[in-house]
Amino acid sequence: CKRVHWQRVRRQGECESVGTDGEQAARASRQVITFPSDKMNTPIHCTHSVYCAEFDSARVVTGSRDRSIKVWSIKTGRCLATIKGHRGSVLCLKFEKDWDLDSKNALTAEGFTDWRRGFMVSGSSDHTVCVWDLYTCSNNDDPAAHADTAVAAELRGVLRGHGDGVLDIEINPHWIVSW
């Protein structure tokens, strides 16, 4: 079991290049996830097994055997981001729920005040925990628009020290606990 003060990692973590894009889910499928909506049921096809999922009021975030994390819109079923950084299957993840709705998460740089920064951690069969900053642009004129806004991610740090795959993670305002 590992315990790390996450705010310290977020401030001092090493930034590495991370791929993000808004690619749609692949056509071939072994597994289908269905997102209920007032207007439709949208099947999402995944090319590999999905090992974990977390959600908030607007998004479902999944971790997969293909080493990726995907962010999906609950409202439309659209893939909002594909995040890559692990060298093994993503077995667990946790993220700050509805980060884009909280004004305390607003960026302060000129030209970026509509942007919000959130937080996510993910564990993998590669024996690591990745610490991520998540970004999205909040539309103050239409709070409902946050449901289908693209998401970007920046890898803030990689925590090493597990002797085997990381099977579960818990976070709170001060700590990351993984085992």
Side-chain angles (χ1 to χ4, degrees), residues 21-25 35 40 42-44 58-60 70-81 145 147-151:
D21 60 43
E23 73 183 27
Q24 292 294 326
F35 296 98
M40 66 182 156
T42 305
I44 303 298
R59 294 167 287 268
V60 174
K70 290 189 181 272
V71 182
W72 306 92
S73 168
I74 288 177
K75 183 177 179 182
T76 65
R78 189 170 74 89
C79 184
L80 303 175
D148 208 26
T149 304
V151 174

Side-chain angles (χ1 to χ4, degrees), residues 88-100:
S89 300
V90 179
L91 303 176
C92 56
L93 60 88
K94 294 285 191 270
F95 71 99
E96 182 180 356
K97 309 296 189 214
D98 294 315
W99 80 86
D100 55 328

Side-chain angles (χ1 to χ4, degrees), residues 87-116:
R87 292 191 172 112
S89 300
V90 179
L91 303 176
C92 56
L93 60 88
K94 294 285 191 270
F95 71 99
E96 182 180 356
K97 309 296 189 214
D98 294 315
W99 80 86
D100 55 328
L101 299 179
D102 192 340
S103 62
K104 75 174 177 59
N105 292 329
L107 301 182
T108 57
E110 186 176 333
F112 291 95
T113 56
D114 287 342
W115 286 83
R116 302 288 189 260

Side-chain angles (χ1 to χ4, degrees), residues 10 61 71 83 95-96 99 116-120 132-136 151-154:
R10 191 175 193 180
V61 181
V71 182
I83 303 166
F95 71 99
E96 182 180 356
W99 80 86
R116 302 288 189 260
R117 180 173 68 182
F119 173 73
M120 179 175 67
W132 307 90
D133 277 338
L134 301 174
Y135 297 94
T136 193
V151 174
E154 179 180 21

